[in-house]
């Protein structure tokens, strides 16, 4: 199963990989962890910015295929997947540098362009408005140049249900293809993919590039 999404959410600290149990092999990193009370074990492998996991029977060393089969259901396979996910989450927490740049980015946009976010999809409740996570920043012409929202990695084609903050920005059509790396910059979620891109607001994102893309988006819209 592929867990490479973690490289989109944080910066790896490779010097800590060995403490977690990874061993370097021909340019890759491999780690073995027991699960299911020792009856099975999971192997995690890192090659470049790809992290994959497989599960094996401890007694026979045979691959436990249902783990990686999307249609496989049942209490046991669900438990195995939860245990492997916990290992991946622990690895990310201990061996990656994570920074919430969502607030940093919002503060930058407000300061740089002297504008405040509005919330066009806010809902009304008994006490008044309840803001949604989707915030829009507009040019003086009232057209938006940045849409900040919380989506799941799966919305971007990555195999994980976790939520992540992102921003939709307008880009030069001729540059869209070259900008998209499917790591921190993706084809636009719920917008015209020829003219817009989605950028993750995570510590893995190049903040200088993010600023440049935001400035260009505002110029294109205004």
């Amino acid at each position: 199963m592929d867990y490479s999404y973690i490289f989109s959410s944080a910066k790896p600290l490779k010097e800590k990989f060995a403490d977690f149990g990874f061993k370097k092999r021909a340019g890759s990193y491999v780690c073995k962890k027991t699960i299911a009370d020792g009856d099975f074990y999971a192997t995690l492998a890192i090659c470049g910015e790809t992290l994959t996991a497989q599960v094996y029977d401890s007694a026979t060393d045979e691959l436990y295929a249902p783990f990686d089969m999307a249609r496989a259901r049942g209490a046991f396979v669900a438990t195995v997947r939860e245990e492997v996910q916990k290992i991946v989450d622990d690895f990310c927490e201990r061996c990656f540098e994570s920074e919430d740049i969502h607030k940093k980015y919002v503060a930058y946009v407000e300061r740089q362009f002297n504008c405040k976010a509005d919330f066009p999809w806010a809902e009304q409740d008994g006490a008044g408005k309840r803001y949604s996570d989707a915030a829009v920043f507009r040019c003086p012409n009232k057209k938006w140049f940045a849409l900040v929202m919380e989506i799941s990695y799966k919305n971007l084609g990555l195999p994980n249900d976790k939520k992540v903050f992102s921003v939709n920005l307008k880009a030069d059509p001729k540059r869209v293809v070259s900008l998209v790396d499917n790591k921190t910059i993706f084809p636009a979620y719920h917008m015209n993919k020829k003219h817009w891109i989605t950028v993750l607001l995570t510590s893995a994102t190049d903040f200088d590039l993010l600023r440049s893309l935001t400035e260009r988006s505002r110029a294109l819209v205004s």
Side-chain angles (χ1 to χ4, degrees):
M1 190 172 290
D2 194 315
Y3 294 91
S4 303
Y5 72 89
I6 68 172
F7 289 98
S8 298
S9 63
K11 297 178 182 178
L13 303 173
K14 293 183 179 180
E15 65 274 14
K16 294 187 176 184
F17 284 11
D19 292 338
F20 191 81
F22 278 92
K23 296 181 180 180
K24 197 169 184 178
R25 296 180 183 175
S28 299
Y29 296 87
V30 179
C31 176
K32 178 180 177 180
K33 298 285 186 180
T34 57
I35 58 174
D37 295 324
D39 292 334
F40 289 79
Y41 64 87
T43 61
L44 277 64
I46 299 173
C47 183
E49 293 190 343
T50 299
L51 170 63
T52 55
Q54 292 182 311
V55 173
Y56 296 85
D57 188 308
S58 296
T60 64
D61 288 327
E62 291 183 355
L63 182 69
Y64 179 61
F67 168 73
D68 205 23
M69 297 169 61
R71 294 183 179 180
R73 296 289 184 270
F76 182 72
V77 68
T79 298
V80 169
R81 287 171 179 159
E82 287 177 6
E83 288 195 42
V84 175
Q85 184 65 58
K86 287 180 181 179
I87 293 172
V88 172
D89 290 344
D90 186 35
F91 172 51
C92 189
E93 182 177 344
R94 291 168 54 184
C95 301
F96 283 70
E97 180 183 12
S98 182
E99 177 189 7
D100 179 8
I101 69 168
H102 168 231
K103 293 181 180 179
K104 177 181 177 181
Y105 177 72
V106 169
Y108 152 73
V109 175
E110 291 179 344
R111 181 181 65 254
Q112 181 70 16
F113 304 109
N114 191 29
C115 65
K116 291 288 185 180
D118 66 70
F119 302 84
W121 298 284
E123 299 176 2
Q124 296 284 345
D125 59 18
K129 281 190 175 182
R130 182 175 65 248
Y131 289 132
S132 69
D133 290 321
V136 168
F137 290 94
R138 300 180 188 272
C139 297
N141 62 11
K142 302 304 181 182
K143 293 182 179 180
W144 73 50
F145 65 91
L147 166 60
V148 177
M149 56 185 168
E150 191 176 33
I151 59 178
S152 74
Y153 284 103
K154 273 194 173 179
N155 291 141
L156 300 173
L158 299 176
N160 194 272
D161 290 320
K162 284 192 172 183
K163 297 289 187 178
V164 59
F165 276 103
S166 64
V167 58
N168 278 10
L169 299 170
K170 195 165 189 178
D172 298 279
K174 292 181 179 179
R175 290 195 64 203
V176 168
V177 173
S178 61
L179 285 170
V180 170
D181 59 11
N182 290 306
K183 177 192 171 186
T184 59
I185 304 178
F186 297 81
Y189 173 66
H190 263 309
M191 293 184 75
N192 189 321
K193 292 176 172 52
K194 292 183 179 180
H195 298 274
W196 293 79
I197 54 176
T198 293
V199 185
L200 297 186
L201 298 179
T202 71
S203 57
T205 301
D206 182 335
F207 200 80
D208 288 336
L209 176 59
L210 176 58
R211 284 199 297 253
S212 175
L213 292 172
T214 303
E215 291 169 6
R216 183 57 181 159
S217 178
R218 190 176 187 277
L220 288 170
V221 172
S222 63

